[in-house]
Amino acid sequence: MLVIRMVEERLAKSHQRGLIHGACHTYVGQEAIATAVCAHLNSDDAVFSTHRGHGHALAKGMEPSELIAELYGRETGCSRGRGGSMHLFSPEIGMMGTSGIVAPCILQATGAGYSSLITQSRQLGVAFFGDGAVNNGAFHEGLNMAAIWRLPVLFVCENNQFATEVAFASVAGNPSVAARGAAYGIPAVELDGNDVIAIEAAAREAVRRARDGGGPTLLECKTYRTRAHAEGMGDFTYRTREDVEEWKTRCPIARLKQHLLKKKIATEKELTVVEQEVAALTEAAHEFAEKSAYPTAE
């Protein structure tokens, strides 16, 4: 979670400096979800993601240097500098692509699950998507197909409560995403998206069920992004500054830190060392990316 947070904060600064050519949608505030789910995935499990995919890529095993270089448009990036923030691709670690188009990741993950069923590989298809995707036809088609064929797929809805600047509650006849699982006979769980321990437990069970032939699971993780929809965009025409500040107090990283200290799993000194190591890793990745060459026209 710290790697995701610090890399995203570094990228926000770099966007302000003009180092990023194009969009930059950060994952700040949602780090618990990618971290907890990907903790149970293998390198050959196929993850499909969205325009807000940096956290998924890092949690799946992408090096910060590859991610940052990609956003800087350098040839050392994961997509060789040609994809940018919304087109991260690294099949070596099972990161099978991010896309700015809403909801196709749901069908792609379903396809990966179908491939696994045919080959009997026990590999998973995993879709991360936002609340805006669940009113898209792809959501219903994907869940239905995965249900009838009991495909090894994990559908992870990161409900950060806004589709760009549209409140999900204002466009959903039923604002409970998890409740929709029952319509397709799929196990579904509503989770606190800022509680990494709760998500980890639910993801562990969902992954076990999928690998054992039990079919798909829908996880609704209710969370909140604490930066603008994309860097450089306005942020307080559709929500208040007070709401954002209140959600910052529910930071998933701070919550885990307090848990580790309270349960005496780690000391303040040990956690400080981790923070220093991640900060150094992030800055080294930034320096590497900034010094990397741009792709040639050839």
Side-chain angles (χ1 to χ4, degrees):
M1 287 196 291
L2 273 174
V3 169
I4 296 170
R5 173 68 58 87
M6 290 190 183
V7 166
E8 294 287 47
E9 290 177 342
R10 174 70 259 180
L11 288 170
K13 293 177 183 177
S14 296
H15 187 273
Q16 293 165 5
R17 284 184 52 197
L19 285 171
I20 296 173
H21 309 284
C24 179
H25 302 79
T26 70
Y27 199 65
V28 174
Q30 302 181 202
E31 297 89 352
I33 305 169
T35 302
V37 172
C38 290
H40 297 290
L41 303 181
N42 302 325
S43 61
D44 57 357
D45 291 323
V47 165
F48 299 88
S49 176
T50 70
H51 58 281
R52 199 175 307 283
H54 306 165
H56 309 132
L58 291 169
K60 194 63 166 67
M62 185 176 292
E63 292 295 331
S65 55
E66 279 192 279
L67 174 67
I68 297 176
E70 186 57 40
L71 268 77
Y72 291 2
R74 310 305 171 98
E75 64 181 7
T76 53
C78 63
S79 299
R80 304 298 176 257
R82 292 166 172 82
S85 173
M86 293 190 282
H87 302 96
L88 307 173
F89 185 63
S90 183
E92 298 84 4
I93 59 170
M95 189 68 200
M96 300 306 293
T98 64
S99 172
I101 301 173
V102 175
C105 58
I106 296 171
L107 298 178
Q108 291 168 322
T110 302
Y114 185 54
S115 172
S116 177
L117 181 70
I118 292 172
T119 61
Q120 295 294 299
S121 67
R122 300 184 83 238
Q123 293 168 257
L124 266 60
V126 182
F128 289 98
F129 51 93
D131 47 278
V134 306
N135 289 338
N136 188 302
F139 173 83
H140 305 282
E141 295 165 18
L143 264 65
N144 186 60
M145 183 174 287
I148 60 176
W149 287 334
R150 297 177 68 84
L151 301 179
V153 182
L154 187 54
F155 299 105
V156 185
C157 177
E158 301 181 313
N159 184 355
N160 64 19
Q161 304 176 54
F162 291 95
T164 308
E165 297 180 355
V166 178
F168 179 59
S170 71
V171 294
N174 179 358
S176 171
V177 176
R180 302 186 187 195
Y184 301 102
I186 292 177
V189 186
E190 180 181 304
L191 296 158
D192 179 345
N194 289 19
D195 184 346
V196 71
I197 295 172
I199 303 169
E200 185 275 331
R204 184 191 326 126
E205 174 58 22
V207 169
R208 182 203 61 76
R209 183 187 303 115
R211 292 205 201 281
D212 290 346
T217 300
L218 170 63
L219 301 180
E220 178 188 7
C221 303
K222 303 188 83 167
T223 184
Y224 202 85
R225 54 172 171 78
T226 54
R227 294 191 68 85
H229 171 70
E231 294 305 302
M233 288 182 65
D235 201 27
F236 300 114
T237 56
Y238 62 98
R239 62 181 186 174
T240 67
R241 195 178 300 272
E242 290 73 24
D243 283 342
V244 174
E245 291 303 316
E246 196 278 328
W247 271 93
K248 285 181 180 179
T249 66
R250 309 186 201 181
C251 170
I253 299 173
R255 282 177 62 173
L256 179 61
K257 181 175 182 178
Q258 289 306 310
H259 172 79
L260 296 174
L261 293 173
K262 184 177 179 180
K263 296 292 185 179
K264 296 185 173 15
I265 298 170
T267 65
E268 188 80 50
K269 183 178 180 181
E270 288 172 327
L271 297 180
T272 298
V273 169
V274 172
E275 291 167 5
Q276 292 171 341
E277 289 176 348
V278 173
L281 172 71
T282 302
E283 284 310 301
H286 157 69
E287 291 173 9
F288 167 84
E290 194 169 18
K291 292 176 182 176
S292 294
Y294 288 101
T296 63
E298 291 78 15

